[in-house]
């Protein structure tokens, strides 16, 4: 699942219309009426499963025709639309007093963005590719410009210099593509290896149903017959004659790989995956020697390979899938290089194998396994391997040459994010890496692997101003009940007191092995500059302290994720960074599951809980095989359809099922009508059950974006409005703003 912090807001005019109607005679002033929350009807549904029975009063909120609704939200059932509309209106009315703060925060966030900006150019052959934004643009423009200087082509040096700088060429204006649409997102874009074509995948609804378009760069023509019903994943063949893509089935899952001539023609089925529990995708190796079909879930993988010399050949299995074994292959000119957890290498190792015999029987260790040193990924260029490692919630980059000599690209800070970007071309000794910390804006470096010289090529500008010295970054370690130490990254202004008086926002995720990077976000400054402390809990379920950090909080140990987050909050309280009842907890998607769980377990800790696209109806979702992510995620959560133990454990923490009468904090749940990952009815049902259960009198609010999916609004400024809305809710929760409605 893709997770990011999101999202949502309403204009002053819209909020005004949402307030309760009241007569207002000329010259008279009438008292405002407190908004009345919607009351969801109850239609009890008896569900019997594995000899167990549960009653769901709000199952009616799921539209049986949900697959069609993803593609066309106007098809939503009338009673569901009516209820969602009422919920949105109620939230807008309750939070109407925050509209000036939302507007102010939005302008602050927008003011920290350099509107006319461009990415670091990525050299590839005779061109450099980049994206740019112009002032006022919501979406990027994809560009290229002829390359100057020297580079290698087929092992031979090429040099080109211009007296007059060449004019950049526009490949795609995503603003024009989005014109007239409520939602438009270019999820992937790539040029062909021969630089003659440019392809891009557009999601025009937020449902992650894509069309793939191919453009002829010589004529500027977008070729007819776009590819439909795709996941957004595609690649050109190394000879630029074919395009491969991943099909999306009616249940939203990737099920087939197709191939067709790049300029159109009949599609040929290349591979079909029969196991609904596996994800599939297609790409090319770093040296363009193979097309690779990747097949994987959270614990098992398989790769099938097609040689560049014969792109229409049937894919061959590199190494057959074996439960609990993962491997990720790339090709290094004359051999395979494979990252794997084989042979009990919990934190992964790197092996090599001959090109002709890549199976496990021929694997030999290149970088042996070291417990506690998690190898996250590998990047290859002609004579070097770069690898990114993670330990204690920080990263490091190690470079290895063909002779086996290694050196590290080091950083000396308590908490930071270091990312190996690599290179777009294989025959080079120059790569890129990025660095940031919670107080330091992103810096992009060009790094010469031969000379070890680094060059700063771009530093993120903050037009409204940003002084790193005004902020403090700390790394704490919160003791969990079982003795594990949970890293916590803290950002605050130097002037913010550490005596429990400052409001605290604690963010967490903790699933699928995804780590939470200690990176930089200008948006967070809208809280931090108001005297808030912002903290990230690097809890189990992520890979922040290695792959075992993930393995120790899944299936029958999942509750470690929740208790780690609570331990982080309690440690922040004991260290003076917060106090109970003065903390806002935030998380999205599987992090929304975390929010629901800690809301049930320790409601006394929180002033507010923000569950963004929250995965809270766990037992129902993981029992519904029609949903896109259900079979692929049984390794993560367990299978409650067939395994009674999995059912019972899952039910014991499922936030929706564990709601009971207690004094809950203020809650904001968000969702998207077109979301295929966490469907809209999960937050809707959660709110419907929470509101009558809470005894605190604090509000439970729902925001459903009727024109977007899992990631919220697609435009960069529209997205900021959603962030401003959520942060305004956090301030409102701390200040008990509902008492003044």
């Amino acid at each position: 699942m893709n997770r990011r912090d999101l999202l949502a807001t309403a204009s002053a005019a819209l909020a005004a219309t949402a307030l309760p109607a009241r007569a207002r005679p000329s010259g008279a002033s009438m008292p405002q009426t407190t908004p009345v929350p919607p009351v969801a009807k109850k239609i009890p549904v008896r569900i019997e499963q594995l000899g167990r029975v549960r009653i769901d009063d709000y199952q009616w909120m799921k539209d049986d025709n949900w697959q069609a609704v993803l593609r066309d939200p106007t098809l939503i059932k009338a009673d569901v639309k009516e209820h969602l509309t009422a919920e949105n209106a109620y939230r807008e009315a309750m939070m109407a007093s925050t509209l000036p703060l939302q507007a102010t925060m939005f302008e602050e966030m927008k003011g920290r963005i350099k509107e006319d900006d461009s990415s670091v150019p990525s050299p590839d052959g005779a061109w450099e590719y980049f994206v740019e934004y112009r002032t006022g643009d919501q979406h990027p423009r994809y560009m290229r410009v002829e390359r100057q200087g020297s580079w290698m082509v087929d092992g031979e040096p090429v040099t080109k210099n211009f007296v007059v700088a060449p004019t950049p060429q526009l490949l795609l204006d995503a603003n024009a593509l989005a014109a007239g649409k409520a939602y438009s997102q270019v999820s992937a874009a790539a040029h062909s290896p021969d630089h003659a074509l440019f392809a891009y995948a557009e999601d025009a609804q937020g449902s992650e149903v894509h069309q793939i378009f191919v453009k002829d760069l010589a004529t500027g023509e977008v070729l007819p017959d776009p590819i439909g019903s795709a996941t957004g994943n595609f690649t050109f063949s190394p000879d630029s004659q074919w395009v491969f893509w991943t099909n999306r089935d009616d249940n939203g899952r990737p099920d087939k790989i197709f191939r067709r001539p790049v300029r159109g023609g009949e599609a040929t089925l290349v591979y079909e995956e029969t196991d609904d529990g596996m994800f599939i995708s297609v790409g090319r190796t770093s040296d363009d020697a193979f097309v690779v079909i990747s097949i994987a879930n959270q614990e098992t993988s398989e790769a099938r390979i097609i040689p560049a010399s014969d792109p229409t050949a049937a894919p061959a299995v590199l190494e057959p899938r074996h439960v609990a074994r993962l491997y990720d292959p790339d090709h290094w000119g004359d051999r395979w290089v494979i990252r794997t957890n084989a042979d009990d290498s919990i934190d992964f190792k790197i092996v090599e194998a001959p090109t002709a015999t890549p199976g496990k029987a021929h694997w030999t260790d290149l970088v042996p396994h070291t417990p506690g040193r998690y190898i996250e990924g590998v990047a290859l260029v002609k004579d070097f391997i770069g690898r990114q490692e993670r330990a204690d919630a920080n990263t490091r980059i190690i470079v290895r040459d063909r002779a086996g000599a290694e050196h590290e690209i080091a950083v000396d800070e308590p908490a930071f994010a270091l990312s190996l970007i690599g290179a777009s071309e294989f025959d080079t000794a120059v790569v890129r890496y990025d660095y940031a910390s919670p107080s330091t804006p992103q810096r992009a470096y060009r790094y010469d692997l031969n000379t070890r010289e680094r060059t700063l090529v771009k530093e993120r500008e903050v037009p409204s101003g940003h002084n790193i010295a005004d902020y403090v970054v700390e790394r704490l370690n919160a003791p969990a009940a079982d003795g594990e130490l949970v890293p916590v990254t803290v950002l605050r202004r130097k002037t913010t007191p550490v005596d429990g008086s400052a409001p605290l926002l604690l963010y967490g995720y903790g699933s699928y092995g995804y780590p939470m990077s200690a990176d930089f976000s200008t948006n967070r400054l809208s809280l931090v500059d108001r005297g808030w402390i912002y903290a990230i809990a690097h809890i189990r379920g992520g890979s922040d302290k290695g792959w075992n950090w993930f393995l120790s909080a899944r299936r029958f140990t999942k509750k470690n994720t929740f208790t780690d987050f609570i331990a982080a909050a309690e440690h922040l309280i004991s260290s003076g960074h917060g106090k109970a009842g003065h903390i806002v907890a935030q998380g999205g998607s599987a992090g929304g599951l975390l929010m629901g769980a800690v809301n049930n377990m320790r409601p006394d800790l929180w002033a507010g809980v923000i569950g963004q696209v929250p995965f809270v109806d766990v037992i129902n979702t993981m029992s519904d095989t029609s949903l896109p992510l259900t079979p692929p995620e049984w390794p993560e959560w367990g299978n409650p359809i067939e395994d009674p133990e999995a059912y019972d454990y899952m039910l014991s923490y499922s936030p929706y099922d564990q709601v009971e009468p207690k004094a809950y904090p203020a809650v904001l749940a968000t969702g998207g009508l077109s979301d295929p990952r966490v469907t809209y009815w999960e937050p809707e049902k959660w709110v419907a059950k929470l509101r009558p259960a809470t005894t605190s009198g604090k509000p439970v609010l729902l925001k459903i974006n009727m024109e977007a999916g899992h990631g919220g609004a697609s435009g960069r400024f529209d997205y900021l409005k959603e962030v401003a809305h959520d942060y305004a809710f956090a301030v409102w929760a701390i200040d008990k703003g509902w008492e003044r409605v």
Side-chain angles (χ1 to χ4, degrees), residues 461-480:
E461 296 181 43
V462 182
S464 60
H466 178 71
N467 184 359
I468 297 172
D470 290 340
Y471 300 90
V472 173
V473 176
E474 300 169 280
R475 172 58 59 77
L476 310 179
N477 284 288

Side-chain angles (χ1 to χ4, degrees), residues 491-492 496-497 499-506 527-528 530-535 577-579 582-584 607 730-731 734-735:
L491 173 69
R492 60 179 174 87
T496 299
D499 59 6
S501 63
L504 167 68
L505 189 142
L506 179 60
L527 288 179
V528 173
R530 283 177 169 79
W532 283 63
I533 293 174
Y534 189 98
H577 291 85
K579 66 180 178 182
H582 208 59
I583 304 170
V584 174
V731 173
I734 291 287
D735 293 344

Side-chain angles (χ1 to χ4, degrees), residues 47 54-62 589 592-594 596-597 600 613-624 627 630 640 650-651 653-659 677-687 689:
I47 304 170
R54 63 187 188 276
I55 304 298
D56 192 340
D57 290 330
Y58 303 109
Q59 188 71 5
W60 64 269
M61 293 178 174
K62 175 187 175 184
S589 200
L593 162 63
L594 168 68
N600 287 331
V613 289
F615 172 40
V616 285
D617 193 11
V618 181
I619 193 75
N620 280 321
T621 293
M622 295 313 298
S623 301
D624 186 348
L627 294 172
T630 293
M650 195 178 296
L651 192 65
Y653 68 75
S654 174
Y656 175 68
D657 296 283
Q658 293 303 315
V659 169
R677 295 175 180 261
V678 178
T679 47
Y680 71 84
W681 59 82
E682 292 209 39
E684 183 185 15
K685 290 172 66 176
W686 186 42
V687 165
K689 195 170 184 180

